[in-house]
Coordinates of all heavy atoms in Angstrom, one line a residue:
Y165 N 0.4 11.0 1.8 CA 0.8 12.0 2.8 C -0.1 13.2 2.9 O -0.1 13.9 3.9 CB 2.3 12.4 2.5 CG 3.3 11.3 2.6 CD1 4.2 11.0 1.6 CD2 3.3 10.5 3.8 CE1 5.1 10.0 1.8 CE2 4.2 9.5 3.9 CZ 5.1 9.2 2.9 OH 6.0 8.2 3.1
V166 N -0.8 13.5 1.8 CA -1.7 14.7 1.8 C -3.0 14.4 1.2 O -3.1 13.6 0.2 CB -1.0 15.9 1.0 CG1 -2.0 17.0 0.7 CG2 0.2 16.4 1.7
L167 N -4.1 14.8 1.9 CA -5.5 14.7 1.3 C -6.1 16.1 1.3 O -6.1 16.8 2.3 CB -6.3 13.8 2.2 CG -6.2 12.3 2.0 CD1 -7.1 11.5 3.0 CD2 -6.6 11.9 0.6
D168 N -6.8 16.4 0.2 CA -7.6 17.7 0.2 C -8.8 17.5 1.1 O -9.4 16.4 1.3 CB -8.1 17.9 -1.2 CG -8.6 19.3 -1.4 OD1 -9.6 19.6 -0.9 OD2 -7.9 20.1 -2.1
L169 N -9.1 18.6 1.9 CA -10.3 18.5 2.8 C -11.5 18.1 2.1 O -12.4 17.4 2.7 CB -10.5 19.9 3.4 CG -9.8 20.3 4.7 CD1 -10.2 21.7 5.2 CD2 -10.1 19.3 5.8
Q170 N -11.7 18.4 0.8 CA -12.9 18.0 0.1 C -12.9 16.5 -0.1 O -14.0 15.9 -0.4 CB -12.9 18.7 -1.3 CG -13.0 20.2 -1.3 CD -14.3 20.7 -0.8 OE1 -15.3 20.0 -0.8 NE2 -14.3 22.0 -0.3
E171 N -11.8 15.8 0.0 CA -11.7 14.4 -0.2 C -12.0 13.6 1.1 O -12.1 12.4 1.1 CB -10.4 13.9 -0.7 CG -9.9 14.6 -2.0 CD -8.5 14.2 -2.3 OE1 -8.3 13.0 -2.7 OE2 -7.6 15.0 -2.2
V172 N -12.0 14.3 2.2 CA -12.1 13.7 3.5 C -13.5 13.6 4.0 O -14.3 14.5 3.8 CB -11.2 14.5 4.5 CG1 -11.4 14.0 5.9 CG2 -9.8 14.5 4.1
D173 N -13.8 12.4 4.6 CA -15.1 12.3 5.3 C -14.9 12.0 6.8 O -13.8 11.7 7.2 CB -16.1 11.3 4.6 CG -15.6 9.9 4.8 OD1 -15.2 9.5 5.9 OD2 -15.5 9.2 3.8
A174 N -16.0 12.1 7.5 CA -16.0 12.1 9.0 C -15.5 10.7 9.5 O -15.1 10.6 10.7 CB -17.3 12.4 9.6
A175 N -15.5 9.7 8.6 CA -15.1 8.4 9.1 C -13.6 8.2 9.1 O -13.1 7.2 9.6 CB -15.7 7.3 8.3
Q176 N -12.8 9.1 8.6 CA -11.4 8.9 8.4 C -10.5 9.4 9.5 O -9.4 10.0 9.3 CB -10.9 9.5 7.0 CG -11.5 8.8 5.8 CD -11.2 9.5 4.5 OE1 -11.8 10.5 4.1 NE2 -10.1 9.1 3.8
V177 N -11.0 9.2 10.7 CA -10.2 9.7 11.9 C -8.8 9.1 11.9 O -7.8 9.8 12.2 CB -11.0 9.4 13.2 CG1 -10.1 9.8 14.4 CG2 -12.3 10.1 13.3
A178 N -8.7 7.9 11.6 CA -7.3 7.2 11.7 C -6.4 7.8 10.7 O -5.2 7.8 10.9 CB -7.5 5.7 11.4
V179 N -6.9 8.5 9.6 CA -6.0 9.0 8.5 C -5.7 10.5 8.8 O -4.6 11.0 8.6 CB -6.7 8.8 7.2 CG1 -5.8 9.4 6.0 CG2 -7.0 7.3 6.9
V180 N -6.8 11.3 9.2 CA -6.6 12.7 9.3 C -6.9 13.3 10.7 O -6.9 14.5 10.9 CB -7.5 13.4 8.2 CG1 -7.1 13.1 6.8 CG2 -9.0 13.1 8.5
G181 N -7.1 12.4 11.7 CA -7.3 12.8 13.0 C -8.7 13.3 13.2 O -9.5 13.4 12.2
G182 N -9.1 13.6 14.5 CA -10.5 14.0 14.8 C -10.8 15.3 14.1 O -11.9 15.5 13.5
K183 N -10.0 16.3 14.3 CA -10.3 17.7 13.7 C -10.4 17.6 12.2 O -11.3 18.1 11.6 CB -9.2 18.6 14.1 CG -9.5 20.1 13.9 CD -8.4 21.0 14.4 CE -8.4 20.9 16.0 NZ -7.2 21.6 16.6
G184 N -9.5 16.9 11.5 CA -9.5 16.8 10.1 C -10.7 16.1 9.6 O -11.4 16.5 8.6
A185 N -11.1 15.0 10.3 CA -12.3 14.2 9.9 C -13.5 15.1 10.0 O -14.4 15.0 9.2 CB -12.4 12.9 10.7
H186 N -13.6 15.8 11.1 CA -14.8 16.7 11.3 C -14.9 17.8 10.3 O -15.9 18.1 9.7 CB -14.8 17.3 12.7 CG -15.8 16.7 13.7 ND1 -15.6 15.4 14.2 CD2 -16.9 17.1 14.1 CE1 -16.6 15.1 14.9 NE2 -17.5 16.1 14.9
L187 N -13.7 18.4 10.0 CA -13.7 19.4 8.9 C -14.1 18.8 7.6 O -14.8 19.5 6.8 CB -12.3 20.1 8.9 CG -12.0 21.1 10.0 CD1 -10.5 21.4 10.0 CD2 -12.9 22.3 9.9
G188 N -13.6 17.6 7.3 CA -14.0 17.0 6.0 C -15.5 16.8 6.0 O -16.1 17.0 4.9
G189 N -16.0 16.3 7.1 CA -17.5 16.1 7.2 C -18.2 17.4 7.0 O -19.3 17.5 6.3
L190 N -17.7 18.4 7.6 CA -18.4 19.8 7.5 C -18.4 20.3 6.1 O -19.3 20.9 5.6 CB -17.6 20.8 8.4 CG -17.8 20.8 9.9 CD1 -16.8 21.6 10.6 CD2 -19.2 21.3 10.2
S191 N -17.2 20.0 5.4 CA -17.1 20.5 4.0 C -18.2 19.9 3.1 O -18.6 20.5 2.1 CB -15.8 20.1 3.4 OG -14.7 20.6 4.1
G192 N -18.7 18.7 3.5 CA -19.8 18.1 2.6 C -21.2 18.5 2.9 O -22.1 18.0 2.3

Side-chain angles (χ1 to χ4, degrees):
Y165 294 131
V166 167
L167 277 178
D168 194 289
L169 271 180
Q170 299 290 338
E171 301 173 74
V172 171
D173 67 47
Q176 291 175 279
V177 173
V179 181
V180 296
K183 192 173 293 173
H186 253 72
L187 284 168
L190 283 168
S191 301

